[in-house]
Amino acid sequence: MNAEDEKFMRLAIECAGQAVALDEVPIGACLIGENGELLASGFNRTITDSDPTAHAEIVALRSAAARIGNYRLTGTTMYTTIEPCVMCSGALVNARVKRLVYGAADERFGAVETLFRLCDNDALNHRLEITSGVLADECRSLMQDFFKKRR
């Protein structure tokens, strides 16, 4: 793990904390431009927005695309605390994100490496570079602690 990956994963973890404050599942994400600038960040807002698509990654992608005026987010890196689901993985591919860095694997819904390989599938017209396991223990603990409190 390099220092830049740790720095931006910590930002994604901070975003996940904002989700907790709203009693949302604590997943956070941030999208970084090719020059290292923060383009957008997000956290799960499905309950708050009554929107099943308002996952952290989608929130960040939408915000960044609106900011730059283009749905193609080439050269960017997405940092997210948990392995993206099928919907988010597909959105990352469609947005032409260059690289994905995630914290903990998602054994139930992970579509990047755990259940499927959507982000680097040879059948698709775009593939992402993938780095997994960055601050995985911290990211996993966020989720486990959240669900322990709800039970």
Side-chain angles (χ1 to χ4, degrees), residues 51-103:
D51 180 356
T53 69
H55 290 193
E57 300 90 337
I58 301 294
V59 171
L61 289 171
R62 285 178 180 156
S63 179
R67 178 177 174 183
I68 68 167
N70 192 339
Y71 77 96
R72 289 193 177 202
L73 301 167
T74 57
T76 61
T77 299
M78 173 68 74
Y79 289 84
T80 185
T81 55
I82 301 295
E83 178 181 6
C85 69
V86 170
M87 175 184 66
C88 293
S89 295
L92 292 167
V93 170
N94 283 318
R96 310 297 195 273
V97 169
K98 179 180 181 180
R99 182 170 177 246
L100 168 66
V101 180
Y102 70 88

Side-chain angles (χ1 to χ4, degrees), residues 1-150:
M1 168 175 54
N2 67 45
E4 186 168 278
D5 285 351
E6 182 175 347
K7 170 186 164 184
F8 290 123
M9 186 59 70
R10 291 214 179 277
L11 178 57
I13 290 170
E14 285 179 33
C15 291
Q18 293 178 278
V20 172
L22 295 174
D23 205 28
E24 296 271 3
V25 175
I27 299 173
C30 59
L31 191 69
I32 306 304
E34 54 191 328
N35 297 318
E37 74 280 16
L38 175 65
L39 294 177
S41 62
F43 54 89
N44 272 19
R45 299 183 53 87
T46 55
I47 297 164
T48 302
D49 294 352
S50 298
D51 180 356
T53 69
H55 290 193
E57 300 90 337
I58 301 294
V59 171
L61 289 171
R62 285 178 180 156
S63 179
R67 178 177 174 183
I68 68 167
N70 192 339
Y71 77 96
R72 289 193 177 202
L73 301 167
T74 57
T76 61
T77 299
M78 173 68 74
Y79 289 84
T80 185
T81 55
I82 301 295
E83 178 181 6
C85 69
V86 170
M87 175 184 66
C88 293
S89 295
L92 292 167
V93 170
N94 283 318
R96 310 297 195 273
V97 169
K98 179 180 181 180
R99 182 170 177 246
L100 168 66
V101 180
Y102 70 88
D106 186 341
E107 296 167 10
R108 292 180 54 213
F109 299 107
V112 176
E113 294 178 308
T114 302
L115 299 177
F116 307 105
R117 295 217 54 120
L118 292 181
C119 289
D120 63 354
N121 190 310
D122 287 338
L124 299 176
N125 65 332
H126 177 76
R127 288 168 287 289
L128 284 74
E129 299 168 22
I130 300 165
T131 302
S132 58
V134 175
L135 301 177
D137 291 341
E138 288 181 51
C139 295
R140 187 177 305 104
S141 290
L142 276 170
M143 295 288 281
Q144 289 172 338
D145 293 348
F146 176 80
F147 285 109
K148 279 180 191 172
K149 289 175 185 171
R150 294 189 71 134

